[in-house]
Amino acid sequence: MMEASEKAFAKLNISLDVLGLLPNGYHEMSMVMQSVSLWDDIFLTPNDSGKISCSSNIGYLPCDEGNIAVKAAKAFFTALGRENPGLDIRIVKRIPSCAGMGGGSADGAAVLRGLNRLWGEPFSRSQLEEIGALVGSDIPFCVAGGTQHATGTGTTLRELPPMPDCPILVCKPRFAIRTPELFAKIDSRRSRLHPDTAGILDALDRGELEAVARRMYNVFEDVLPRSCGDIGRLKGLLLEHGALGAVMTGTGSALFGVFADEATGEKALIEIKKECPEAWLTRPVGRIM
Ligand code: C5P
């Protein structure tokens, strides 16, 4: 059997809203999500060891059962109704961890796509999304990526018109934010601001980048601990250097700004890097499945 390689694209939240707390402790979400051109490379080599091994170029990445890529592979073989025949997963990681960019979920989704190809396409896209949902809430989006509206716990997906092409400057402050802590803070708030999701959907329908960028909002920005002050400061810098809009992605700590043209984006990148060395100029990536 041949080796498969897959690109695992990072995701950004153009908007993120939490609509309520569900009886199972999860939250009802409404998120406009976008894949961008920052990716991990995943290489899958089947073998007959009966074990799943995993390695990466990043020392601190757990490569045991805790790794989402390993969990996704196990879920794939379980869904196939087959004993795990043996698989080697190699990850070349570029998406920053603990960033809200779905790095782990993208890897998990790439493993599902790659295994599906190697095993002769036994599952449809929507079946892969269902398998992915058993492993993590952001994996279903990452199976096809592109521009989608995610609702329910984040696993109910609707394809949207592609986001207009533009430079997107992503930056990742050094600190990480604990996801459960942010959800708990959201729960304790009675009223809060919500993103204009309908306005964003409408702007995407019309292909109006500026109208999308102006409406970008993430409810978690409202409940950030004081120690995350850098996020507000970097957001200010992005806007000062010409971003049409700027917002935190997921539960952070990465944030991004959307730009109208490459030259402005490149100039802003130089400025942002002085404050935040981990920064990249990316572009929207369309659906891959
Ligand atoms: O599904 P996933 O493992 O990615 O979720 C990580 C954590 O995020 C969950 O344990 C839960 O605390 C929180 N979460 C949530 N509501 C969602 C998705 C995730 O509360 N819709």
Side-chain angles (χ1 to χ4, degrees), residues 32-80:
V32 176
M33 299 168 91
Q34 176 64 51
S35 306
V36 289
S37 58
L38 177 64
W39 67 87
D40 296 343
D41 283 308
I42 309 290
F43 300 95
L44 303 173
T45 315
N47 54 45
D48 53 13
S49 67
K51 294 193 184 106
I52 297 175
S53 59
C54 175
S55 60
S56 91
N57 61 325
I58 303 278
Y60 58 78
L61 200 72
C63 267
D64 52 14
E65 309 275 308
N67 189 295
I68 298 186
V70 175
K71 287 186 191 168
K74 287 195 166 165
F76 178 88
F77 292 122
T78 302
L80 204 57

Side-chain angles (χ1 to χ4, degrees), residues 204-246:
L204 283 169
D205 272 338
R206 287 181 280 114
E208 290 179 2
L209 180 66
E210 206 175 326
V212 172
R214 240 187 303 122
R215 290 175 172 82
M216 297 193 306
Y217 182 66
N218 178 341
V219 290
F220 286 125
E221 280 186 57
D222 225 21
V223 293
L224 287 175
R226 272 180 201 282
S227 56
C228 299
D230 270 6
I231 291 182
R233 209 167 45 80
L234 287 167
K235 186 170 169 171
L237 269 182
L238 285 166
L239 294 169
E240 210 175 287
H241 289 98
L244 301 174

Side-chain angles (χ1 to χ4, degrees), residues 9-16 29-36 109 113 125-126 129 137-151 154-163 197 200-201 204 212 284-289:
F9 291 102
K11 67 89 180 159
L12 297 176
N13 288 94
I14 299 298
S15 69
L16 190 155
M29 317 288 292
S30 175
M31 308 182 279
V32 176
M33 299 168 91
Q34 176 64 51
S35 306
V36 289
R113 286 195 309 271
R125 191 207 69 235
S126 66
E129 289 168 352
S137 307
D138 281 345
I139 297 187
F141 166 79
C142 293
V143 167
T147 313
Q148 300 190 56
H149 185 201
T151 53
T155 61
T156 304
L157 300 171
R158 184 164 71 87
E159 184 180 353
L160 297 173
M163 179 171 179
T197 310
I200 291 177
L201 298 178
L204 283 169
V212 172
V285 168
R287 277 174 90 83
I288 49 174
M289 211 180 170

Side-chain angles (χ1 to χ4, degrees), residues 18 20-22 24-29 31 68 71 105 132-139 151-155 179-181 183-184 187 220 251:
V18 180
L21 179 61
L22 299 167
N24 65 1
Y26 270 60
H27 293 79
E28 192 184 351
M29 317 288 292
M31 308 182 279
I68 298 186
K71 287 186 191 168
S105 305
L134 302 172
V135 181
S137 307
D138 281 345
I139 297 187
T151 53
T153 54
T155 61
T179 297
E181 195 180 315
F183 271 114
D187 293 339
F220 286 125
T251 48

